[in-house]
Structure formats: structure tokens, C-alpha cells
């Protein structure tokens, strides 16, 4: 790589965090370096809690290295930080805390540099990088980040370290060895980033595993909506989308006229999946659902809709809606403290004792797992349990098996808005609800409690809303 030399601004520099993200989505790096005005969303409550937990964990872990030489580097005082780090290395310090390393376009503040016995340009010793992560296992992005530090150490040591260490949330220290595959991946990503910096590459945004955590999502989302992008199709992985895009098949209208066999040949997806991609593209083009198979809706009242919220493997809220000839009634069973789990479970079962043959819809079978766990733990009304477990039906599977919808997927948050359903709370999602419950346990704020209950009931209301709207669609012709 022939990267330009000289000091560069932090906005255009490649940092470990930007590198790790670019290894999953290069478009994020393009937006951050080239389009500073890109639309961003705010950090959610769950993300903010995780960030605070991470900072606390990192600080506690670093405090444990009380014998380490502290640099406390800052990008604002780059020259001073680099000099102090080099001086500490020359002074043969055993451990160097938060030093600063740079090389061409790359800058980093590794949490810890640890001295090892191995000759280098410094003398009879050398250093390896140590990273701290508030997580339970090591992923590719983490290993790339460690390799990033090793690459920056190379000019100082006269060779590139072959290993680093990772401290995980359990406090456990794990050695990470750098193999040829990791090295190849690192230089491949770096080359792509260099092309972006030099205006030789404008990467296409493709929906991937990083999107749900990405603050730039509003920017990409409006691009996908405006262009009716293939990334909007349910089940379309980033890998498959990239193969289609390489052949200039970018939009749903490009895909809608293709044969499933052609799509299969390009993406490697199964024929069934490829057919769903084509039908999904057609549904988006017409902005209308396609009926795959004539649905048989439940005719016998009452019909129940049910959803739970969990925290730390425990159920803290059950939401239940009963729909019968008289109308709709709602109930919730909320645990003010986690030790109320048994009491609320028993109350739910008692409520379900009548209506032996009533269907209970849930969205996916997440609820089923917890119903069995709660029954094993606490037992309760046999009649209620029998009615709940025997009559439980997966509404999501029903929708997916009978309809192709012009939605991003078949999660309740993707399907209900298509039928104009909106959640009352801002940033309504499962992760935030867990964060809100933690806030409720810590602060006891009644507004938060109400927000959780409304969120849970909104999930259940969304299921009822979908059911009622799908019934109106049935005059649509089958495919
Ligand atoms: S939203 Fe997704 S595609 Fe867009 S920049 Fe973020 S990770 Fe990349």
C-alpha cells in the first residue's frame, strides 16, 4: 500500500472503530469521510446504556493495571501523545496504558501495550497490543482491530507482532494469533478504504448485519426506499445483494421480471427463496400483497393475541388481547420486581382458564419457549396452561406462508407499519424495552413503567391489527 504520508485530520483518518465497521460495511466509511452531512438517527436508550456500561467496564479494567505507565493519549494532542508513547517504549515500561500509535492514514489509541521478551528495534524486548471488549466472545471485527494495532507497531518494532490479547467482559484474557487469512482480510479492507479516500470507489449501500446498530441508517434507508432497492427484499443477504448489484440488478423493478431460476443462478439461494425474491419484488412494484395460498382465518371467537417481554432470562410482562363478539379487551401482567414472575404467570393462566378451544396467536415461537420454561418453574392452573400451550399459533408463520408482503421482512415491526399501524413510543423495539425495564428497576419512575406496558400492549395490538387487515385482503386473487 502506498498511502500518503503526513499528519491528517481525525475526520479523514482511519481509526480502529472505523476500520472494524468498514470491514462489514464500506459504505459507512464512505458516508463518514465524504458526506459529513449524511442523515443520522439518535442513539437509542438501549445503545446509550450499553455505551455507558462499556465505558465503565473499560475504566474498571484499566484501573486494575495500576502498575502500568499511563499516557492518557488524546487525538487532540497527537504529537505529544505519540512522543510520550515512544519514550515509554524506549524506557522499557512493562505495560503502557492508552498510548498513541500512527502510521500514514491510520491512528489508534490501544488500551494497553504489554512488554514481551522478544528482540526488536527497541532492544531485547518488544510489545504486543491488548484490547478490552465488553462482550463474551471474539468476532472477526475484534481480531481485525487487534491486527490494526500490530500494523501500527510494525515501524517501531521493525517487525509486525504475530499475536495480541483480548480482555472480555468475564475479565478473562484470551490470546489472539494473527493468521494469513486475517492479514489478507486486513489489507483487502485497507485497500478498499484507500480507494474511497482517493475518490476511486463509491460503495453501494447494502443492508447487512450492522445496519440495525448503525446511526447512519436514515440516510441509507431513504436511498433504498427512493430507489426501491433489492436490499428491501425479505431474506436478501448482503452477500446475495452484492452478487446481483455486480450485474447491475439493483432495484425491485430489475428483479421483478426475472425468472426464479435466473435469480438462483446468481445468488445461490434455493429455488423457493429465489421465487420469494421475485414475488417480493413484484409486490413492491405494485405496492400490494400477493396471496401465495388461500388463507383460512380463524372464525371462532374469542381469539387471543399474546406477547411477552423478558429481562435476564425472566418474563417481566405478559400482554393479552381478547377479541370476541363484544369487541376487544386488553390485559397486562407486569412484574414491578423480577421476583413477581411467578405471581404474574399464575394470574395469566387463571385468566386463560375459560375458552378451551380459543386460538392464542403469538408472533414467532419465542413465547412458546418461555411458556414451557415458566410451567416447569412454577406450574399453576392446569386448565389455563393446557389452553395456552395447546392453542398457541405462530401468526408470523401464518402470514409468511400465505402472503408475500411489500415489507422489509416479516418481523412485527416490519409488517404492522405496512397496514398503517404505529407504536406510541419513540424508538419502540425489544432492546429499548429491556433498557426501559432496567431503568424502571433502578429508578422506579412510573412514566417508564407506563411506557413499557404501552409498548408491550402495542405489540399485541399490532398483531390484532394485522389479522383484521389481512382478512380484508382475501378478495385478492391467488397467484
Ligand atoms: S445503514 Fe447499513 S448500509 Fe448504511 S452505512 Fe450503516 S451499516 Fe452501512
Amino acid at each position: 500500500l502506498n498511502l500518503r504520508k503526513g499528519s491528517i485530520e481525525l475526520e479523514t483518518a482511519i481509526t480502529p472503530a472505523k476500520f472494524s465497521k468498514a470491514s462489514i460495511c464500506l459504505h459507512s466509511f464512505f458516508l463518514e469521510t465524504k458526506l459529513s452531512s449524511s442523515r443520522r438517527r439518535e442513539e437509542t436508550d438501549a445503545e446509550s446504556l450499553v455505551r455507558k456500561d462499556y465505558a465503565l467496564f473499560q475504566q474498571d479494567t484499566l484501573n486494575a493495571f495500576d502498575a502500568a505507565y499511563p499516557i492518557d493519549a488524546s487525538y487532540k494532542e497527537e504529537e505529544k501523545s505519540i512522543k510520550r508513547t515512544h519514550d515509554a517504549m524506549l524506557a522499557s515500561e512493562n505495560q503502557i496504558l492508552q498510548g498513541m500509535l500512527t502510521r500514514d492514514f491510520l491512528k489508534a489509541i490501544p488500551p494497553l501495550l504489554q512488554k514481551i521478551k522478544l528482540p526488536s528495534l527497541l532492544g531485547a524486548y518488544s510489545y504486543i497490543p491488548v484490547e478490552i471488549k465488553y462482550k463474551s466472545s471474539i468476532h472477526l471485527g475484534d481480531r481485525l482491530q487487534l491486527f490494526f494495532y500490530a500494523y501500527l507497531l510494525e515501524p517501531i518494532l521493525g517487525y509486525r507482532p504475530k499475536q495480541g490479547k483480548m480482555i472480555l467482559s468475564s475479565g478473562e484474557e484470551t490470546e489472539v494469533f494473527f493468521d494469513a487469512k486475517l492479514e489478507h482480510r486486513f489489507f483487502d479492507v485497507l485497500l478498499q478504504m484507500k480507494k474511497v479516500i482517493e475518490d476511486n470507489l463509491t460503495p453501494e449501500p447494502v443492508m447487512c448485519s450492522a445496519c440495525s446498530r448503525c446511526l447512519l441508517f436514515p440516510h441509507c434507508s431513504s436511498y433504498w426506499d427512493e430507489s426501491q432497492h433489492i436490499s428491501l427484499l425479505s431474506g436478501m443477504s448482503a452477500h446475495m445483494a452484492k452478487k446481483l448489484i455486480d450485474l447491475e440488478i439493483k432495484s425491485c423493478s430489475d428483479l421483478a421480471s426475472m425468472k426464479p431460476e435466473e435469480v438462483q443462478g446468481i445468488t445461490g439461494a434455493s429455488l423457493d427463496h429465489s421465487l420469494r425474491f421475485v414475488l417480493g419484488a413484484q409486490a413492491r412494484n405494485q405496492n400490494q400483497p400477493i396471496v401465495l395460498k388461500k388463507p383460512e382465518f380463524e372464525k371462532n371467537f374469542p381469539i387471543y393475541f399474546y406477547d411477552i417481554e423478558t429481562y435476564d432470562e425472566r418474563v417481566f410482562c405478559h400482554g393479552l388481547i381478547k377479541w370476541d363478539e363484544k369487541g376487544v379487551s386488553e390485559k397486562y401482567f407486569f412484574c414491578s420486581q423480577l421476583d413477581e414472575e411467578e405471581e404474574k404467570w399464575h394470574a395469566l393462566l387463571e385468566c386463560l382458564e375459560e375458552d378451551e378451544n380459543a386460538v392464542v396467536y403469538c408472533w414467532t415461537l419465542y413465547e412458546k419457549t418461555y411458556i414451557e420454561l415458566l410451567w416447569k418453574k412454577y406450574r399453576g392452573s392446569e386448565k389455563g396452561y393446557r389452553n395456552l400451550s395447546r392453542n398457541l399459533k405462530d401468526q408470523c408463520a401464518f402470514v409468511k406462508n400465505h402472503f408475500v408482503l411489500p415489507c422489509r421482512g416479516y418481523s412485527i415491526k416490519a409488517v404492522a407499519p405496512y397496514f398503517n399501524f404505529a407504536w406510541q413510543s419513540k424508538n419502540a423495539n425489544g432492546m429499548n424495552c429491556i433498557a426501559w425495564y432496567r431503568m424502571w428497576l433502578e429508578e422506579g419512575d412510573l412514566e417508564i413503567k407506563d411506557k413499557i406496558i404501552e409498548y408491550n400492549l402495542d405489540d399485541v395490538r399490532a398483531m390484532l391489527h394485522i389479522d383484521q387487515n389481512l382478512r380484508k385482503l382475501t378478495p385478492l386473487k391467488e397467484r
Side-chain angles (χ1 to χ4, degrees), residues 57-66 68 97-98 111-112 132:
F57 172 73
Q58 192 180 37
Q59 203 46 58
D60 284 352
T61 312
L62 289 176
N63 288 345
F65 291 95
D66 54 355
L97 267 188
Q98 294 181 304
L112 191 71
I132 299 167

Side-chain angles (χ1 to χ4, degrees), residues 110 172 175 245 253-254 260 265 286 292 335 391-392 413 438 465:
E172 177 196 343
E175 283 191 306
I245 290 165
S253 33
D254 296 333
Q286 305 153 10
L292 275 180
C335 301
N391 301 332
L392 196 71
K413 305 291 184 314
R438 185 171 141 188
H465 186 82

